[in-house]
Amino acid sequence: MRQMTLALLASLSLAGTVVPTAAAQENELVVGGKNFTEQQLISSITTQYLDHLGYDVDRRAGMGSSVLRQAQENGQVDLYWEYTGTSLIVYNDVEEKLGPDEAYARVKELDAEKGLVWLEPSGVNNTYALAMRAEDAEERGIATISDLATVVNDGAELVFASNAEFYARDDGLRPMQETYGFSFGRANIKRMDTGLTYSALRDEQVDVAIATTTDGRLSAFNLTVLEDDKGFFPPYAMTPVVSQQALDDNPDLETQLNELSARLDDDSMRQLNERVDVDRQTVEDVAEDFLIDEGLIDA
């Protein structure tokens, strides 16, 4: 996308469609992104948005999580969107179970010591979840994981689809069942690749499946996410994380990224993911459409 002239940018700012900024920035901003659909989308959204505001942006998407984090700590990446649970558990080794606000406050404090600033979290919480076919969940009266536990404990033989990671991890299937006081039973658990759990559920090969809360296939396949009413799954709020140096060099950047963050929630992210993963639209087109629909860039 082409950079806008100062006059046009000023007129759009007065109309309330963009956050005011200078027409051009002196420093290049390097925007990073991980190697899955949601991160490809958010890195493209951020790059197009900042380019529209007059920044010189270099996008480096498709990186592994630990590589990307290290690149930011080393000053090779200025900003990317991280998840509170990932930083808390993986990068800061915090095993304590924290609520959404506590988790955000903790990672903000810990990462500030490394020169990284957590801005305002979006409404996107991409954490684990249990999903069922919407019609089946309604017929069985299951809206929460506690409801599911009651049905299983009353004798229902429900088959559960799990990926290998959730099946084995220390904060996965076993402790979840212990927290809610039920067990699917070994014979009723089918392990499969992550992407297959959704189609197995849709095709009635299983009754319950592990999912992530912003996956586009949830809406595309008419699946219901069960409420985690005991708060077992850790919060994974998607948040722009920026180096302190980049904020010092670009005084308007914090306000602009917070404006973008405020436009994102689980529903909007799920729809964006669906357009890429299910409808096979390009990441760049979906990202641009989102920004136009939100009035953050011009058509």
Side-chain angles (χ1 to χ4, degrees), residues 1-112:
M1 297 179 65
R2 296 187 299 273
Q3 292 186 352
M4 303 186 65
T5 63
L6 177 59
L8 180 55
L9 183 56
S11 66
L12 287 174
S13 298
L14 291 173
T17 57
V18 297
V19 180
T21 184
Q25 307 295 328
E26 294 182 359
N27 304 289
E28 179 185 71
L29 286 175
V30 179
V31 176
K34 302 186 186 185
N35 55 1
F36 54 93
T37 299
E38 182 165 288
Q39 282 279 312
Q40 294 279 2
L41 278 164
I42 193 59
S43 65
S44 182
I45 287 170
T46 305
T47 297
Q48 293 188 47
Y49 174 59
L50 294 178
D51 180 76
H52 175 85
L53 292 173
Y55 290 93
D56 180 12
V57 187
D58 177 12
R59 179 182 176 221
R60 301 180 188 175
M63 301 174 72
S65 184
S66 59
V67 172
L68 177 55
R69 168 70 179 212
Q70 193 62 51
Q72 188 178 46
E73 290 189 15
N74 292 340
Q76 298 167 301
V77 168
D78 295 305
L79 69 99
Y80 77 100
W81 296 68
E82 187 54 274
Y83 304 90
T84 51
T86 301
S87 182
L88 194 71
I89 298 167
V90 178
Y91 305 138
N92 289 294
D93 299 319
V94 177
E95 297 181 358
E96 180 183 359
K97 198 173 221 22
L98 301 173
D101 293 340
E102 295 173 309
Y104 172 76
R106 183 72 63 85
V107 295
K108 186 178 179 71
E109 177 185 5
L110 291 171
D111 282 350

Side-chain angles (χ1 to χ4, degrees), residues 39-293:
Q39 282 279 312
Q40 294 279 2
L41 278 164
I42 193 59
S43 65
S44 182
I45 287 170
T46 305
T47 297
Q48 293 188 47
Y49 174 59
L50 294 178
D51 180 76
H52 175 85
L53 292 173
Y55 290 93
D56 180 12
V57 187
D58 177 12
R59 179 182 176 221
R60 301 180 188 175
M63 301 174 72
S65 184
S66 59
V67 172
L68 177 55
R69 168 70 179 212
Q70 193 62 51
Q72 188 178 46
E73 290 189 15
N74 292 340
Q76 298 167 301
V77 168
D78 295 305
L79 69 99
Y80 77 100
W81 296 68
E82 187 54 274
Y83 304 90
T84 51
T86 301
S87 182
L88 194 71
I89 298 167
V90 178
Y91 305 138
N92 289 294
D93 299 319
V94 177
E95 297 181 358
E96 180 183 359
K97 198 173 221 22
L98 301 173
D101 293 340
E102 295 173 309
Y104 172 76
R106 183 72 63 85
V107 295
K108 186 178 179 71
E109 177 185 5
L110 291 171
D111 282 350
E113 299 172 3
K114 304 167 186 176
L116 307 179
V117 181
W118 284 68
L119 302 185
E120 291 298 314
S122 71
V124 177
N125 178 34
N126 189 8
T127 190
Y128 274 125
L130 298 189
M132 296 182 66
R133 291 181 297 280
E135 183 178 351
D136 190 28
E138 184 176 359
E139 288 178 358
R140 294 178 182 274
I142 299 175
T144 68
I145 301 179
S146 288
D147 293 337
L148 173 66
T150 298
V151 170
V152 171
N153 288 334
D154 285 344
E157 294 280 335
L158 300 184
V159 179
F160 176 66
S162 175
N163 59 27
E165 181 183 6
F166 185 72
Y167 182 86
R169 61 188 289 163
D170 291 338
D171 58 348
L173 179 59
R174 178 188 50 77
M176 183 206 70
Q177 292 181 131
E178 291 174 354
T179 296
Y180 279 96
F182 79 107
S183 175
F184 287 110
R186 185 179 296 271
N188 292 325
I189 298 172
K190 291 186 176 182
R191 282 180 280 179
M192 59 188 69
D193 291 342
T194 300
L196 298 179
T197 60
Y198 299 93
S199 55
L201 186 56
R202 176 197 59 190
D203 298 339
E204 301 185 16
Q205 298 171 358
V206 299
D207 304 296
V208 188
I210 191 64
T212 53
T213 51
T214 60
D215 196 289
R217 287 164 289 194
L218 291 170
S219 53
F221 296 170
N222 194 27
L223 307 179
T224 291
V225 171
L226 304 185
E227 179 188 348
D228 178 19
D229 51 307
K230 292 189 177 182
F232 172 78
F233 296 115
Y236 280 81
M238 189 176 73
T239 307
V241 182
V242 190
S243 70
Q244 184 63 60
Q245 186 63 56
L247 293 178
D248 292 342
D249 292 341
N250 301 280
D252 295 325
L253 185 60
E254 179 172 356
T255 299
Q256 292 158 347
L257 289 174
N258 284 337
E259 171 71 10
L260 177 58
S261 187
R263 308 298 182 96
L264 294 158
D265 57 24
D266 283 349
D267 288 339
S268 62
M269 199 71 244
R270 195 177 295 132
Q271 291 168 12
L272 296 174
N273 286 330
E274 179 183 349
R275 288 180 60 185
V276 174
D277 288 335
V278 179
D279 299 337
R280 301 303 178 189
Q281 299 178 34
T282 68
V283 165
E284 289 72 23
D285 286 348
V286 173
E288 183 178 24
D289 287 348
F290 170 80
L291 289 166
I292 293 171
D293 290 345

